Amino acid sequence: PTEMVFKLIKPAPLTEQVHSKDGCIYLYRAMKFIGWRPPKSGIWRYVYLSWTLTTFVWCTTYLPLGFLGSYMTQIKLFSPGEFLTSLQVCINAYGSSVKVAITYSQLWRLVKARDLLDKLDVRCTSDEERTKIHRVVARANHAFLIFTFVYCGYAGSTYLSSVLSGRPPWQLYNPFIDWHDGKLKLWIASTLEYMVMSGAVLQDQLSDTYPLVYTLILRTHLDILKERIRKLRTNTDMSEDENYEALINCVLDHKLILKYCALIRPVISGTIFTQFLLIGVVLGLTLINVFFFSDLWTGIASFMFVITILLQTFPFCYTCNLIMDDCEALAHAIFQSNWIDSGPRYQSTLLYFLHNVQQPIVFIAGGIIQISMSSNISVAKFAFSVITITKQMNIADKFK
């Protein structure tokens, strides 16, 4: 049964027909579950949209406001460690709500880009190319599953560690249930918080994983195109016209890839920019909490939180670096292909192609910061500045 559930994380045999967009299956299932993919028509569309509204009201709107409410009404009841645990998640929750709003409002772009992959698949007929697609479909779904386990692990570990320590996990504002009134009330209040947070965590996961899933598939198609370019004019049975047509097809494939990137670029720009703004502060607060205020249980929960924060940008930024390398490899493949004794028509098209490929595919966060490992490390380094300020000003001791 587990093999059936996790069937998609293993490459399917070549006897099965697999499409590039199958790499988004887990991603889109989660979107459907959280209320982002309503049926086209009928009564069920309206039933489903009421579920969409419910998740947005509780997970996107109530969650960040719930933190604010608890600070306004119960700030004196917080211990320093509890306050920092709450604050690090509060800041992330506000960022998460912004990211979710961007992703949901631009979802049509992601759907359009996913459907565009079918056009790129049309020419993937050889076993070698199909094997690559089978592999990336498994890898993309596998990556989504890893994110799911880590994110759920964070929510679950925080929930259990807090309740066992005798307090609600995030201490959200709840005017109806006072958790101080005995163990039953504590468990009820905590479980309600956990349900709201689980929805928010899934929404956050969707806005964090789609860039990685989409760019993993993009890299495979760049690799397939590179191999096609290498094979240009190597088949002696093909006429000059057929060779020219093969080159034109490569140019058209590249245009489709650029169109795919243009579709997903605005969504990525907004969500990653929001994440870059938050990562340093949130990591800094979490590390202060771990170093100065944590016991074993809150330490475990905070450690899980650090991993989720790092997962939000690092794998995608690393993939962006690899895409730039892929574009460079593409240009080298064109230049080193067998073009020397070709005709003037072929050579002029090849020159045009080479000129276009030399402009690498880059993603810019908020139209300002180029998304790469170096920019990610730069924004993450701010966390250490936060810790340094805390130590120099003895803020931790004053808190205690």
Side-chain angles (χ1 to χ4, degrees):
T2 42
E3 275 192 12
M4 287 304 291
V5 175
F6 301 129
K7 182 181 153 197
L8 291 166
I9 64 171
K10 288 183 179 166
L14 288 175
T15 47
E16 286 181 36
Q17 188 63 45
V18 172
H19 304 283
S20 296
K21 67 179 181 187
D22 293 342
C24 305
I25 285 179
Y26 283 167
L27 178 72
Y28 278 79
R29 277 181 191 168
M31 284 181 183
K32 199 162 194 174
F33 175 73
I34 203 71
W36 288 13
R37 305 278 293 137
K40 291 274 191 289
S41 57
I43 186 75
W44 285 110
R45 179 176 171 83
Y46 298 100
V47 174
Y48 186 90
L49 286 172
S50 64
W51 167 240
T52 308
L53 187 66
T54 306
T55 59
F56 269 97
V57 165
W58 285 103
C59 306
T60 319
T61 313
Y62 164 71
L63 183 70
L65 294 177
F67 281 110
L68 213 57
S70 67
Y71 298 155
M72 289 164 76
T73 56
Q74 300 171 11
I75 192 74
K76 288 176 183 172
L77 301 174
F78 281 94
S79 72
E82 285 168 6
F83 178 65
L84 280 173
T85 303
S86 175
L87 188 63
Q88 72 202 24
V89 184
C90 170
I91 294 169
N92 204 51
Y94 276 90
S96 172
S97 293
V98 173
K99 289 191 299 182
V100 166
I102 293 167
T103 312
Y104 183 71
S105 62
Q106 302 272 314
L107 196 56
W108 63 273
R109 287 181 172 277
L110 299 181
V111 174
K112 223 171 170 183
R114 185 194 63 164
D115 295 340
L116 194 67
L117 290 169
D118 286 342
K119 289 186 180 177
L120 280 165
D121 283 352
V122 169
R123 291 186 61 220
C124 298
T125 49
S126 73
D127 282 355
E128 184 191 345
E129 289 175 347
R130 286 183 59 224
T131 301
K132 284 178 181 175
I133 285 173
H134 284 228
R135 274 195 205 132
V136 77
V137 163
R139 195 179 302 132
N141 284 310
H142 202 173
F144 186 83
L145 210 60
I146 290 167
F147 270 77
T148 306
F149 286 135
V150 173
Y151 279 50
C152 291
Y154 156 69
S157 63
T158 308
Y159 168 63
L160 288 173
S161 66
S162 299
V163 180
L164 295 172
S165 305
R167 61 178 193 278
W170 297 279
Q171 303 201 28
L172 299 175
Y173 177 63
N174 187 340
F176 305 109
I177 300 167
D178 184 3
W179 62 271
H180 299 93
D181 292 352
K183 280 216 160 162
L184 180 65
K185 291 273 180 80
L186 170 67
W187 276 98
I188 292 169
S190 300
T191 305
L192 289 172
E193 278 190 18
Y194 176 63
M195 286 163 70
V196 170
M197 184 57 82
S198 293
V201 161
L202 179 55
Q203 286 186 339
D204 196 32
Q205 186 194 333
L206 290 174
S207 51
D208 290 337
T209 48
Y210 81 82
L212 184 63
V213 167
Y214 274 73
T215 47
L216 283 174
I217 297 168
L218 166 66
R219 283 201 67 217
T220 295
H221 280 285
L222 284 169
D223 185 41
I224 288 170
L225 178 59
K226 182 180 74 183
E227 291 308 313
R228 280 184 192 151
I229 289 164
R230 279 188 180 149
K231 288 173 185 169
L232 287 173
R233 298 187 79 250
T234 53
N235 186 347
T236 49
D237 297 336
M238 286 169 74
S239 66
E240 202 55 46
D241 282 346
E242 285 170 332
N243 283 324
Y244 182 69
E245 195 182 326
L247 174 63
I248 291 291
N249 282 334
C250 288
V251 174
L252 293 174
D253 287 341
H254 186 249
K255 276 192 169 175
L256 274 176
I257 287 171
L258 293 181
K259 192 177 174 186
Y260 172 84
C261 294
L263 276 169
I264 61 174
R265 199 170 268 124
V267 205
I268 288 173
S269 172
T271 53
I272 298 294
F273 183 62
T274 308
Q275 195 54 43
F276 274 177
L277 289 178
L278 296 175
I279 186 171
V281 179
V282 175
L283 266 182
L285 288 170
T286 311
L287 292 174
I288 289 165
N289 194 7
V290 171
F291 292 149
F292 301 114
F293 300 106
S294 281
D295 56 23
L296 176 67
W297 291 111
T298 50
I300 291 168
S302 293
F303 180 68
M304 289 297 290
F305 188 65
V306 168
I307 293 173
T308 60
I309 292 295
L310 294 176
L311 269 180
Q312 285 177 338
T313 49
F314 268 90
F316 174 62
C317 289
Y318 180 61
T319 310
C320 284
N321 273 44
L322 295 176
I323 287 169
M324 287 184 246
D325 295 343
D326 291 338
C327 291
E328 203 177 313
L330 213 56
H332 289 162
I334 294 170
F335 186 71
Q336 289 164 4
S337 65
N338 185 23
W339 56 268
I340 290 174
D341 55 348
S342 59
R345 181 178 65 158
Y346 186 96
Q347 288 186 10
S348 62
T349 306
L350 192 88
L351 263 174
Y352 160 80
F353 190 21
L354 183 61
H355 174 71
N356 276 355
V357 165
Q358 279 176 323
Q359 294 159 0
I361 294 168
V362 288
F363 294 96
I364 311 287
I368 306 166
I369 311 164
Q370 183 175 318
I371 302 170
S372 64
M373 279 301 282
S374 60
S375 53
N376 195 11
I377 290 165
S378 301
V379 291
K381 272 199 301 201
F382 184 66
F384 297 102
S385 308
V386 173
I387 293 171
T388 309
I389 293 164
T390 307
K391 284 185 89 171
Q392 284 178 349
M393 295 177 71
N394 270 349
I395 292 172
D397 294 335
K398 286 171 189 171
F399 254 138
K400 285 173 183 171

